[in-house]
Amino acid sequence: MKYVEHLLILTKHFIEGIPTETSVAALSDLLCCSERHVKTIVQYLHNHQVISWETQRGRGKKPKLTLHLNEDEVLLNETKKRIKAEQYQDAFVLMHRMSLPGKEKFRKWFSSSLGLLHKNEDNQSLDILRYPFYETDLTMDPLYITSRHDAHMVQQVFDRLVEYDTKTEQLLPSIAHHWESNDGKHWTFYLNKGILFHHGRELTSRDVQKTFDRLIKKKTFLINIKKITTLNDRVIIFELEEVDYLFPRSLSSMKASIIPFELLLADGEKFSNFPVGSGPYRLTQHNENMVRLEVNRYYFATRPWLDRIDIIKAPEEWEHKTDHPFLLNQPNEKWRQVKVIEEGATYITFNCNKDGPMRNKEFRNKICEMLNPENICNERSENEFVSISLLSQLSLTTQKKQIGRSKPLQYDGPILRIAAQQIRTGANHAKAAEDLAEQLKNIGIPSQVSLINSREIMSNSNLSTFDLFVGGIALGSDLLLSAVNALQSPHLTIYPCLDEKMKDFITRKMIEIRRSQEETFRWQTYYEMEEFLKSERAIFFLTHRSHSVYELTDSPYVNIKLNHHGRIDYRKVWKKYTFSN
């Protein structure tokens, strides 16, 4: 509505439903505009039935103005219009101006437009999921994803050569329909025909080669690749430096999503915000209001049931209050809690490479003996519990040692520098780092905390500056592979902070794991590595994190379930037919 700000001024000076004498001149002063413009405003508002304007006959008689809406009602009408026009940020700005009862009315109305909806749009029958989520500053170039939000979106938009099935713990075909190796060093992959990127070009082995060349240059987890050869458009061979029977599983990583390289070269920043993949959903909108995914109707594999997903960018506090199928609070007893533990952990790594007190194992040991992980956390809530490993099951089933109480140390060394990992604005490990600094202070060790971007945290300058790093990792669907990679990743804080003796031990154990084809042996060796790092006081585990939502017990929708990252895989949601009596 035009003149809504003028109408809001009127609501502060006139009482709803009560005719009040006024004048054009008085309204001119009130609205800070000319009398001529006042007449236009009044006529417009009168025609739209939000006020009544009655002129009275007779000398000295003033017109009467009657408001038909109060301030909350005016704002509510305007927010509804903004929502229907998908101008969500403007709508939420107006919502914040409402009183608490007004906000509650808006919340109830807004909730009715969310969830799983069946609509007919543009002569199409569509099943749509709409829900609010706070801004996460998504990065959707697979190479640079850093958060579970990024990885979840990449999973929907892109495909990988293979997929890892968490239920069966088996590797499944995707872009590649078959793979083989005779020696564990030479791996041949055969690609499916007719896979199209969202912009219409067919995916070939050349795209696979370009994707992995880029990963190798960035020194990712695929540093073992020695050479890549494309035999034709459908066959590609990877030659490795060392035997690695885990190699095919590495290719299910979200970072190994296959990209159309020419688009990346044309505009890398645009690709990061508006990527093109070959996955089951294509990104059609990504702005300050929403992220919209629409089904890829030419998808080579099983077409998802959901036709569209609208992720509305809402204020963070609003997302926790809104009623939709993926609730974060329980409205009544008909909704059951669905809770999942996020594999991975928050932890402290000690920089054993830097000159200074952290090179002394006895000093590290004294610090670890006094640390109380229950008092070092990112958020004071039931969603965190103490960890002793990257793996939650190990933490849940292992008896935790009693925390010792140390007396203040006779410390006269330098102020310790603590780096807190920052994933994005508002999402960081600053609270845990500050808790650590407080515990150090209690035993006489001064320290100071700095926030460091996760993409820069392992730079040479930071490695030579900081004594302790507080950060964390959420493991991927292939727990073994993800955990193994975490212990040797150059981009996480664990491996770069080890001294040469520790690195040598980890490297030898990694070779044993990758040369073995026995999963039990691989796990046993991984546990040895974790225990070694803990015994050397190179790492101190803090907490695991869990996620909770609520869903209707009699819902016809199938697979509305959280994965280990606290996200619902849109690809698997579908609706059962309900028979009426």
Side-chain angles (χ1 to χ4, degrees):
M1 178 192 293
K2 289 167 61 178
Y3 308 125
V4 65
E5 291 299 330
H6 293 307
L7 180 59
L8 287 169
I9 292 172
L10 295 179
T11 63
K12 296 183 182 299
H13 293 83
F14 296 86
I15 301 174
E16 178 191 6
I18 298 178
T20 305
E21 285 190 348
T22 186
S23 67
V24 171
L27 292 178
S28 176
D29 291 338
L30 183 64
L31 300 178
C32 299
C33 59
S34 68
E35 292 187 10
R36 181 178 179 180
H37 192 47
V38 164
K39 293 176 181 178
T40 303
I41 294 170
V42 167
Q43 189 62 49
Y44 178 88
L45 297 178
H46 177 83
N47 291 342
H48 282 76
Q49 300 180 349
V50 293
I51 70 167
S52 292
W53 178 258
E54 302 175 69
T55 56
Q56 301 185 82
R57 292 183 178 179
R59 195 172 208 177
K61 290 188 175 180
K62 296 180 179 180
K64 287 186 177 180
L65 186 150
T66 306
L67 277 178
H68 298 314
L69 301 173
N70 59 33
E71 183 180 18
D72 274 350
E73 290 169 335
V74 172
L75 290 169
L76 181 60
N77 285 343
E78 289 305 306
T79 54
K80 287 181 178 180
K81 290 178 183 177
R82 303 293 198 282
I83 293 293
K84 290 175 181 176
E86 297 183 352
Q87 297 170 356
Y88 295 106
Q89 295 311 305
D90 290 344
F92 290 127
V93 168
L94 289 173
M95 178 270 295
H96 281 299
R97 294 168 64 178
M98 296 179 187
S99 66
L100 288 176
K103 290 178 181 177
E104 183 62 20
K105 284 184 180 180
F106 171 73
R107 186 188 69 80
K108 289 181 178 179
W109 174 83
F110 182 50
S111 297
S112 67
S113 68
L114 300 172
L116 286 152
L117 313 169
H118 185 81
K119 287 188 174 183
N120 290 303
E121 292 184 4
D122 301 324
N123 297 319
Q124 294 185 75
S125 177
L126 301 176
D127 290 292
I128 301 169
L129 168 62
R130 300 179 74 240
Y131 69 98
F133 207 82
Y134 57 89
E135 175 62 77
T136 58
D137 191 21
L138 284 171
T139 296
M140 287 181 279
D141 180 340
L143 179 61
Y144 295 112
I145 58 177
T146 57
S147 71
R148 63 183 183 276
H149 312 288
D150 297 342
H152 179 240
M153 198 61 60
V154 163
Q155 184 184 39
Q156 314 304 315
V157 175
F158 293 89
D159 281 317
R160 289 138 295 281
L161 288 177
V162 291
E163 294 285 337
Y164 186 79
D165 189 321
T166 55
K167 290 183 179 179
T168 64
E169 296 183 346
Q170 296 294 317
L171 209 55
L172 304 177
S174 183
I175 291 173
H177 63 83
H178 179 73
W179 54 95
E180 60 192 14
S181 176
N182 294 324
D183 58 5
K185 286 186 71 173
H186 298 82
W187 291 90
T188 304
F189 286 79
Y190 299 84
L191 311 188
N192 280 299
K193 289 184 177 181
I195 299 177
L196 299 179
F197 286 114
H198 299 154
H199 66 317
R201 182 173 68 73
E202 187 171 2
L203 185 155
T204 71
S205 57
R206 183 69 173 162
D207 296 298
V208 176
Q209 182 181 33
K210 289 283 189 179
T211 296
F212 285 99
D213 282 345
R214 183 175 180 236
L215 289 167
I216 295 167
K217 287 178 183 177
K218 292 294 182 179
K219 297 182 179 179
T220 62
F221 56 94
L222 295 170
I223 55 176
N224 191 25
I225 297 177
K226 180 180 180 180
K227 183 181 179 183
I228 303 175
T229 305
T230 56
L231 297 186
N232 55 45
D233 284 350
R234 303 284 170 263
V235 182
I236 188 166
I237 299 174
F238 295 89
E239 181 182 348
L240 309 183
E241 297 279 1
E242 301 286 345
V243 171
D244 186 358
Y245 285 101
L246 277 178
F247 176 72
R249 286 164 63 170
S250 300
L251 307 189
S252 68
S253 164
M254 293 303 143
K255 287 185 178 290
S257 298
I258 308 304
I259 63 175
F261 212 78
E262 76 277 9
L263 297 186
L264 183 70
L265 291 176
D267 191 336
E269 184 176 350
K270 179 181 178 182
F271 188 84
S272 184
N273 291 303
F274 219 95
V276 172
S278 63
Y281 288 100
R282 57 192 182 92
L283 187 71
T284 59
Q285 190 168 327
H286 182 203
N287 55 32
E288 71 279 3
N289 288 304
M290 69 154 60
V291 175
R292 171 170 285 167
L293 298 174
E294 295 187 24
V295 73
N296 177 8
R297 298 184 181 278
Y298 304 102
Y299 189 50
F300 78 100
T302 303
R303 181 198 189 279
W305 181 82
L306 284 174
D307 297 292
R308 194 173 85 200
I309 299 101
D310 289 347
I311 307 166
I312 298 164
K313 295 184 180 181
E316 187 167 356
E317 73 276 7
W318 192 256
E319 189 259 347
H320 290 274
K321 297 178 181 177
T322 306
D323 301 332
H324 59 86
F326 311 141
L327 289 162
L328 300 179
N329 55 334
Q330 186 176 18
N332 56 55
E333 67 280 357
K334 292 183 179 180
W335 296 75
R336 67 183 179 91
Q337 186 182 40
V338 180
K339 192 170 185 177
V340 64
I341 297 171
E342 180 178 271
E343 294 297 342
T346 302
Y347 49 80
I348 302 166
T349 45
F350 298 84
N351 193 351
C352 305
N353 251 332
K354 176 181 177 288
D355 287 334
M358 288 305 159
R359 283 197 171 180
N360 187 318
K361 182 179 177 180
E362 184 180 350
F363 182 71
R364 300 196 303 271
N365 191 57
K366 287 181 178 178
I367 290 178
C368 290
E369 285 179 350
M370 58 71 58
L371 289 180
N372 185 344
E374 292 183 353
N375 293 331
I376 304 177
C377 59
N378 287 326
E379 50 186 56
R380 305 289 186 196
S381 73
E382 60 182 15
N383 293 329
E384 286 191 346
F385 64 94
V386 173
S387 67
I388 63 163
S389 166
L390 288 179
L391 305 159
S392 65
Q393 198 59 35
L394 203 59
S395 298
L396 290 169
T397 57
T398 303
Q399 183 76 30
K400 297 179 179 63
K401 296 179 180 179
Q402 292 291 326
I403 303 299
R405 293 290 180 262
S406 298
K407 296 179 180 179
L409 302 176
Q410 298 298 317
Y411 179 77
D412 57 0
I415 295 175
L416 298 185
R417 299 288 304 278
I418 303 173
Q421 178 188 18
Q422 174 160 284
I423 300 168
R424 63 179 186 281
T425 303
N428 55 57
H429 294 273
K431 181 66 176 65
E434 289 164 2
D435 289 343
L436 169 61
E438 184 64 25
Q439 291 198 28
L440 291 173
K441 179 182 176 182
N442 291 339
I443 60 167
I445 301 176
S447 62
Q448 62 184 53
V449 174
S450 300
L451 270 180
I452 304 295
N453 187 288
S454 58
R455 291 181 185 172
E456 303 168 357
I457 200 163
M458 283 295 95
S459 67
N460 289 333
S461 61
N462 286 330
L463 273 172
S464 62
T465 299
F466 293 99
D467 302 284
L468 303 105
F469 294 86
V470 181
I473 183 176
L475 299 180
S477 56
D478 187 338
L479 290 183
L480 173 67
L481 184 68
S482 188
V484 165
N485 286 337
L487 294 194
Q488 204 175 27
S489 171
H491 304 293
L492 298 178
T493 62
I494 301 171
Y495 189 79
C497 288
L498 303 181
D499 63 27
E500 292 307 313
K501 176 186 173 183
M502 298 174 195
K503 286 180 179 178
D504 181 63
F505 177 87
I506 295 298
T507 299
R508 284 188 287 106
K509 291 297 178 181
M510 288 290 185
I511 292 172
E512 291 177 19
I513 287 176
R514 295 184 182 279
R515 285 182 174 175
S516 173
Q517 298 184 60
E518 296 294 328
E519 193 75 353
T520 300
F521 174 81
R522 291 168 174 166
W523 273 116
Q524 289 174 344
T525 307
Y526 172 77
Y527 295 145
E528 285 180 35
M529 289 193 293
E530 263 200 0
E531 287 302 314
F532 171 77
L533 294 177
K534 287 191 291 185
S535 68
E536 289 291 322
R537 301 304 198 183
I539 189 168
F540 187 91
F541 291 103
L542 295 173
T543 55
H544 295 292
R545 182 180 178 184
S546 64
H547 306 277
S548 294
V549 292
Y550 296 86
E551 61 182 34
L552 272 170
T553 53
D554 57 353
S555 173
Y557 296 102
V558 181
N559 287 330
I560 300 182
K561 298 176 182 177
L562 288 175
N563 61 23
H564 59 283
H565 286 317
R567 296 291 171 269
I568 291 146
D569 191 347
Y570 313 130
R571 303 174 302 172
K572 298 179 180 179
V573 175
W574 60 282
K575 185 180 181 181
K576 285 184 177 180
Y577 183 80
T578 53
F579 296 89
S580 56
N581 295 328

